[in-house]
Amino acid sequence: MKERIFIKESIQHLEAKEFIRKKFSNAEISEIDIKRTPVGTRIVIHTTRPGMIIGHAGSNIDSLTKELEKNFDIKNPQIDVQRVNNPDLDAHIIAQKIADAIEKGVNYKRVGNFYISRIMDAGAIGCEIVLSGKFSGERGRVARFLSGYLKKCGDTSDKLVEKAFAVATPKLGNVGVTVSIMLKPIKPILNPAKSDKSDVKSEPVKPAEQEAATEKAGEAKENSSGEEKSEKIEKKSKESKPNKKKAQTEKKK
């Protein structure tokens, strides 16, 4: 029974996201996050035009909360609108713009090359745009536009690659738009002392240099041992001289 409840809630959330996108189609919405909280349901809308969603004195948000409660059975929705700082690096916004351009009749090659160069100029490591559908005839085709370096699998692709999908509906038929953008990773800040130590590299020692070093060490040990022996002999000679003098004085007496 619990699984059915979770499935029902996820379907309601998907329908609510589609409803918000259709209602504010001109607002360039990127992502919509819906999460349950102990107080109610928190809805975060990321967009490049927050004023269109908020409305005059929050009128659009008030009407949206009432519609979500009535049509989708979302309890106490709390809507938060956030601005997207760099829309050229947002895969959702780029995919929607490409779909709108194809619906208006712009050539698909021109659209793909234009947005590829725009994404790379914004600072992405790599990007890919895939268009599949009927562009200029009855037969469907696939057009792929690539630039830079893009990971297709692995942990780096999950963390750094942002993917989005949109559908264009021109007269000939539907066209699918898939956009993948690889962003720059955030590097950790290192301590200056540690970084200086890591920069110092130890050069490999050659065998001839090793032999010379061992010979010098052996000579130094021999010299030190010879000096120690001479010091011991001198001490013994000094100790023996006063003993001889004492013996001579005793004989005279």
Side-chain angles (χ1 to χ4, degrees):
M1 294 297 292
K2 290 183 179 180
E3 294 178 355
R4 292 182 181 178
I5 293 169
F6 290 132
I7 292 168
K8 186 179 179 181
E9 286 182 354
S10 61
I11 291 169
Q12 288 176 352
H13 291 171
L14 285 173
E15 291 176 352
K17 289 179 181 179
E18 291 178 359
F19 172 75
I20 293 168
R21 289 184 185 277
K22 287 180 181 179
K23 185 173 183 178
F24 303 102
S25 58
N26 297 325
E28 294 182 358
I29 295 172
S30 170
E31 292 182 357
I32 301 172
D33 299 328
I34 300 175
K35 295 181 181 179
R36 290 182 62 188
T37 60
V39 180
T41 305
R42 188 168 183 265
I43 301 171
V44 182
I45 302 172
H46 301 270
T47 179
T48 57
R49 300 174 182 175
M52 294 182 67
I53 297 174
I54 295 169
H56 180 68
S59 59
N60 291 340
I61 288 180
D62 294 336
S63 63
L64 182 61
T65 52
K66 292 177 182 178
E67 289 175 352
L68 292 174
E69 284 179 346
K70 183 179 179 181
N71 299 329
F72 302 99
D73 195 18
I74 295 175
K75 297 179 181 179
N76 191 15
Q78 299 173 356
I79 299 171
D80 183 16
V81 181
Q82 295 183 2
R83 183 187 292 275
V84 177
N85 295 324
N86 195 350
D88 291 335
L89 292 177
D90 196 302
H92 297 273
I93 294 173
I94 295 294
Q96 192 60 46
K97 286 182 178 180
I98 293 170
D100 293 339
I102 290 171
E103 287 178 356
K104 291 177 182 177
V106 183
N107 188 11
Y108 69 96
K109 290 183 180 179
R110 184 179 178 184
V111 174
N113 292 321
F114 173 75
Y115 281 104
I116 280 284
S117 61
R118 191 166 178 175
I119 291 166
M120 295 303 293
D121 292 339
I125 297 174
C127 59
E128 181 185 26
I129 297 172
V130 180
L131 307 176
S132 59
K134 295 180 181 180
F135 303 116
S136 59
E138 294 182 356
R139 181 179 292 181
R141 64 178 72 179
V142 178
R144 183 176 282 104
F145 304 89
L146 292 167
S147 181
Y149 175 74
L150 184 70
K151 287 285 286 185
K152 295 294 184 73
C153 62
D155 187 50
T156 53
S157 67
D158 295 336
K159 291 181 179 179
L160 300 178
V161 178
E162 184 180 355
K163 298 179 181 179
F165 180 77
V167 179
T169 56
K171 294 180 180 179
L172 294 174
N174 292 342
V175 177
V177 181
T178 306
V179 179
S180 302
I181 300 173
M182 186 170 180
L183 305 174
K184 291 182 179 180
I186 300 170
K187 295 181 180 179
I189 299 170
L190 299 174
N191 292 328
K194 291 183 179 180
S195 62
D196 293 339
K197 290 180 181 178
S198 62
D199 292 335
V200 178
K201 295 181 180 179
S202 60
E203 296 181 355
V205 181
K206 296 180 180 179
E209 293 178 357
Q210 287 181 350
E211 291 178 359
T214 52
E215 288 178 359
K216 288 181 181 179
E219 291 176 358
K221 286 182 180 179
E222 289 178 357
N223 294 330
S224 62
S225 61
E227 290 176 357
E228 288 177 356
K229 288 179 181 179
S230 61
E231 288 177 357
K232 288 180 180 179
I233 292 165
E234 288 178 358
K235 285 182 181 179
K236 287 181 180 180
S237 62
K238 287 179 181 179
E239 290 175 355
S240 62
K241 284 180 181 179
N243 293 329
K244 287 180 181 180
K245 288 180 180 179
K246 286 181 182 180
Q248 289 176 1
T249 52
E250 287 177 355
K251 285 180 181 181
K252 287 179 181 180
K253 289 178 180 180

